[in-house]
Amino acid sequence: MQEFVGIVCGQCDALSPLGAPRCVCCGHELTASHAPKHEAVASTGLTEEELMEQARNYVCQECSSPVPSGHKFCGACGATVPEEIQNAQTKYFSSMQAPGKARLTLIRGDQQGIDDGFSYLLQGQEHIVGRADAQILFLEDNWLSPRHANFIYRGDKLVVRDEGSLNGVYVRVRGTVPVTVGSQFLCGEQVFRLDATPKDTSGPDPDQTFFYSSPKRPSPFRITQILAGGLEGMVFCARENVARIGREDADMNFPTDIYMSGSHARVEAQGSNFTLTDEDSRNGTYVRIEGEKELAHGDYLFLGRQLLRVEMTS
């Protein structure tokens, strides 16, 4: 072991050589009032873990100056950083940036002990998310199934697969996406379903008496709000080929939904085909996937009450 003495900077706590006029880290002026510090550095016989830790905080053996990670030479005296330290640096950083791998970052959740911004590295082949029978657990989310979704690598692609969950996997819409009758989607805190127009039942009874009702208008489709427990809430029968959803001035308005934008999303009919478009909403529109879906860097997903972002390494 080799012992050296340095000066601790009062500004950033970095260690500088004795006699140095300024901190080698932040440039703060050093005075006699700054306390000296003794350190011990092993130049040989370190374990692989110790080498990697030393690579993060290497101190030059010639002048006792700290050398930033990734530097091959000491900035104070020009001494060469030992090759084993340089190799340890490379190995240390590569484990966090494995090409083709991804991680999930929690953007918004409600789990005690799990802060927003927490990341889950996807280093295996399969990664189950759920409430109980899973590798990535959200124990308090009662909207998650025990085994809810699986993140899988297929070659160099990451896909998410719904594991037969009750409430599904929702992926944020980028612009406009195709949807079909029965598709479910999220706007703000509301859940919707695209439904076909019901069959015409306005004919008379057997005795030729017609049912008295409000005037009936043609409708190409309708949007149904889904309430807790699967009950149906607000239903809008589109009069034209477009139905708009928002907080105000839309066909379906939700003025008390703080996550809903003024003009949030729209559904359009084009013949027998349908599309869902996000109207540049602040919090996004999410569509429930069928089976599995390929993911890209920057995709957002709702699993139960957890909002997650996909981050891919290059």
Side-chain angles (χ1 to χ4, degrees):
M1 300 291 287
Q2 177 183 5
E3 184 175 330
F4 65 88
V5 181
I7 302 268
V8 179
C9 175
Q11 189 75 15
C12 67
D13 293 329
L15 193 66
S16 298
L18 278 176
R22 294 184 177 275
C23 174
V24 297
C25 177
C26 69
H28 184 68
E29 186 176 358
L30 299 175
T31 66
S33 62
H34 290 96
K37 182 178 180 181
H38 294 258
E39 290 283 349
V41 178
S43 58
T44 58
L46 295 178
T47 66
E48 184 177 21
E49 182 178 358
E50 290 170 334
L51 278 171
M52 286 192 289
E53 180 64 23
Q54 185 173 339
R56 299 175 63 189
N57 306 281
Y58 178 68
V59 178
C60 176
Q61 298 179 14
E62 298 294 330
C63 69
S64 301
S65 297
V67 181
S69 296
H71 288 209
K72 295 182 179 180
F73 303 96
C74 172
C77 69
T80 302
V81 175
E83 184 177 352
E84 63 269 21
I85 298 299
Q86 295 181 36
N87 293 339
Q89 287 175 331
T90 301
K91 185 171 184 179
Y92 178 82
F93 286 109
S94 65
S95 66
M96 295 294 293
Q97 300 175 2
K101 297 299 182 181
R103 62 182 177 186
L104 300 176
T105 298
L106 182 65
I107 303 302
R108 189 175 81 234
D110 57 1
Q111 300 296 287
Q112 186 175 2
I114 305 179
D115 296 329
D116 295 351
F118 191 86
S119 291
Y120 303 86
L121 295 176
L122 306 182
Q123 300 282 44
Q125 283 299 312
E126 298 189 0
H127 314 83
I128 302 293
V129 179
R131 195 180 72 252
D133 185 19
Q135 297 161 317
I136 301 176
L137 287 169
F138 296 98
L139 299 172
E140 301 169 17
D141 191 339
N142 292 326
W143 283 268
L144 279 177
S145 296
R147 184 182 174 94
H148 196 99
N150 194 357
F151 290 84
I152 308 166
Y153 290 109
R154 299 200 187 284
D156 59 349
K157 304 295 183 181
L158 177 69
V159 302
V160 59
R161 183 176 69 201
D162 190 337
E163 294 290 301
S165 66
L166 177 64
N167 293 309
V169 175
Y170 289 83
V171 178
R172 186 168 184 171
V173 170
R174 294 174 182 257
T176 300
V177 296
V179 289
T180 59
V181 170
S183 291
Q184 295 186 20
F185 57 97
L186 304 176
C187 298
E189 292 188 314
Q190 314 304 319
V191 183
F192 301 98
R193 184 182 65 233
L194 172 62
D195 290 333
T197 301
K199 293 182 179 180
D200 189 356
T201 59
S202 59
D205 281 353
D207 64 358
Q208 298 304 303
T209 302
F210 283 85
F211 185 82
Y212 192 77
S213 63
S214 300
K216 189 175 183 179
R217 297 182 176 88
S219 176
F221 64 93
R222 62 180 185 171
I223 303 297
T224 303
Q225 178 192 25
I226 307 300
L227 302 178
L231 298 175
E232 294 184 359
M234 184 188 302
V235 178
F236 176 74
C237 296
R239 296 182 180 179
E240 304 294 338
N241 291 332
V242 180
R244 290 181 168 83
I245 300 168
R247 197 176 61 250
E248 55 192 15
D249 296 329
D251 297 311
M252 302 180 76
N253 294 308
F254 299 89
T256 61
D257 189 335
I258 62 174
Y259 296 104
M260 185 85 71
S261 295
S263 179
H264 198 103
R266 70 178 187 270
V267 177
E268 296 182 75
Q270 301 169 344
S272 59
N273 299 318
F274 302 91
T275 58
L276 172 65
T277 301
D278 180 72
E279 301 268 33
D280 294 325
S281 65
R282 181 180 179 86
N283 292 302
T285 301
Y286 296 76
V287 66
R288 184 171 180 169
I289 70 169
E290 298 287 341
E292 65 180 43
K293 178 178 175 58
E294 183 180 316
L295 299 173
H297 177 75
D299 277 341
Y300 288 80
L301 306 94
F302 260 115
L303 303 178
R305 306 293 286 184
Q306 314 305 311
L307 176 59
L308 302 162
R309 183 179 67 232
V310 177
E311 297 176 359
M312 305 289 293
T313 58
S314 58

